[in-house]
Amino acid sequence: MAATVYIVIYTLYHHVYKLAVEIQKGLESQGVNVKMFQVPETLSDEILQKMHAPPKPDIPIMTVDHLTEPDGIIFGIPTRFGTMPAQLKALLDATGKLWATGALAGKFAGTFFCTASQHGGQETTALTTVTYFAHHGMIYVPFGFASAHLFDNSEVVGGSAYGAGTIANGDGSREPTQKELEVAYTQGENFGKIVSTYVKGKTA
């Protein structure tokens, strides 16, 4: 039986979504069944228009109950002051029933990020998200330095040991680079290998 992984994102200018597409490709290269979801938007249409935000991607909305379905979940997180945005926090804060019943215990979790600047908090966002995984008994899978691009100091490259990442600029004008997209693909590959190995062993 093939492993199933959900990618759950919040995306404003589609930077996180573009990384998620590459992560999905990496997961699928390992034979993983993948579905991508977005969390509900809390900003009004008026505010989004003033922020020049494009229309949301055409992907389904994640609900708390859906979180129990896959073997693993990778969260795509744009940072807000070094932590996750309210839209994603609202979903995770609503998982009290799942925590009380241990419904997410033993599932795998991963993270990837987008910040406005190089020092916008990609690593602190990971560290403040891991507490949710710990309380739920989820198995957090960091990326490590599994891509040579993370050693490249010749240009700005988003990402860290905690997951792929990109830098958007405050107005969303910087797009994910080819190196950042390749890091995301590799993260999907690696996460897929780990979850697939676990599922195969459990069902052997």
Side-chain angles (χ1 to χ4, degrees), residues 62-70 73 91 95 98 104 107:
M62 172 53 70
T63 65
V64 169
D65 291 338
H66 283 319
L67 292 173
T68 64
E69 297 169 351
I73 307 170
L91 175 74
T95 58
L98 304 185
L104 300 182
K107 294 185 183 295

Side-chain angles (χ1 to χ4, degrees), residues 17-27 181-182 184-185 188:
Y17 174 66
K18 290 172 183 176
L19 293 180
V21 169
E22 295 304 312
I23 287 178
Q24 179 168 352
K25 292 176 183 176
L27 287 163
L181 295 174
E182 289 174 5
Y185 182 91

Side-chain angles (χ1 to χ4, degrees), residues 177-193:
T177 66
Q178 183 60 37
K179 289 180 180 179
E180 291 167 344
L181 295 174
E182 289 174 5
V183 171
Y185 182 91
T186 302
Q187 183 176 5
E189 274 188 319
N190 292 357
F191 193 88
K193 289 175 184 176

Side-chain angles (χ1 to χ4, degrees), residues 44-63:
S44 68
D45 290 341
E46 180 183 3
I47 295 297
L48 292 171
Q49 185 177 9
K50 289 181 178 179
M51 296 175 72
H52 306 290
K56 294 294 182 184
D58 185 19
I59 55 177
I61 299 295
M62 172 53 70
T63 65

Side-chain angles (χ1 to χ4, degrees), residues 52-153:
H52 306 290
K56 294 294 182 184
D58 185 19
I59 55 177
I61 299 295
M62 172 53 70
T63 65
V64 169
D65 291 338
H66 283 319
L67 292 173
T68 64
E69 297 169 351
D71 302 295
I73 307 170
I74 305 182
F75 293 91
I77 313 171
T79 67
R80 297 294 182 270
F81 303 102
T83 188
M84 73 177 71
Q87 291 85 349
L88 186 56
K89 192 173 190 297
L91 175 74
L92 295 178
D93 281 350
T95 58
K97 180 180 178 182
L98 304 185
W99 166 76
T101 58
L104 300 182
K107 294 185 183 295
F108 292 85
T111 49
F112 62 101
F113 311 95
C114 176
T115 50
S117 68
Q118 293 182 67
H119 311 294
Q122 293 192 18
E123 295 191 20
T124 58
T125 301
L127 293 171
T128 52
T129 303
V130 165
T131 58
Y132 285 92
F133 306 149
H135 280 258
H136 278 289
M138 301 179 78
I139 304 165
Y140 181 57
V141 182
F143 180 61
F145 279 75
S147 170
H149 294 325
L150 294 184
F151 293 96
D152 185 357
N153 292 320

Side-chain angles (χ1 to χ4, degrees), residues 57 175 202:
E175 291 295 321
K202 188 172 68 171

